[in-house]
Amino acid sequence: EISCSLVGSEMCIRDRIQTMRKDAGFEVMDHICVSMQDNDKIADIVKKNEEQIKSEVLANETKYDGAVGFTKEWNINGEKVMLGVEKM
């Protein structure tokens, strides 16, 4: 049950990042930096799935000490988190 919810959260995070890429006006092949703040649970999920998430959203870097660039607050499976994306 826990891993199922983690997988759901990971997919949800990835979808939110893809939405943010589109909303920020990035090109499909643009490489990005993903950043976040305000939620250790979400940060832990990203850290555990970091390589897969980075690969699927074309992120070269992930930062956990503050959301920068194009930012948006999301509610992911009941957890509020501020995510940021910026072009590399």
Side-chain angles (χ1 to χ4, degrees):
E1 186 174 325
I2 291 173
S3 64
C4 199
S5 119
L6 286 178
V7 168
S9 294
E10 178 268 322
M11 290 170 55
C12 197
I13 293 164
R14 192 177 61 236
D15 289 347
R16 298 306 183 271
I17 294 168
Q18 294 289 41
T19 297
M20 291 178 69
R21 284 178 59 96
K22 192 180 302 178
D23 291 349
F26 297 164
E27 297 295 326
V28 174
M29 296 308 294
D30 286 341
H31 285 253
I32 62 169
C33 172
V34 174
S35 55
M36 67 199 65
Q37 68 187 45
D38 299 337
N39 193 306
D40 291 337
K41 286 182 186 176
I42 297 296
D44 287 344
I45 292 167
V46 172
K47 286 175 185 174
K48 288 176 184 165
N49 299 279
E50 187 168 355
E51 291 309 312
Q52 181 181 358
I53 291 171
K54 284 169 60 176
S55 170
E56 293 183 21
V57 302
L58 293 182
N60 292 357
E61 191 176 354
T62 310
K63 298 179 182 175
Y64 300 94
D65 57 354
V68 293
F70 180 83
T71 61
K72 187 168 182 179
E73 185 175 72
W74 295 96
N75 184 326
I76 298 174
N77 293 344
E79 297 288 336
K80 287 190 177 186
V81 64
M82 178 72 74
L83 296 177
V85 294
E86 60 184 335
K87 213 184 295 192
M88 297 295 290

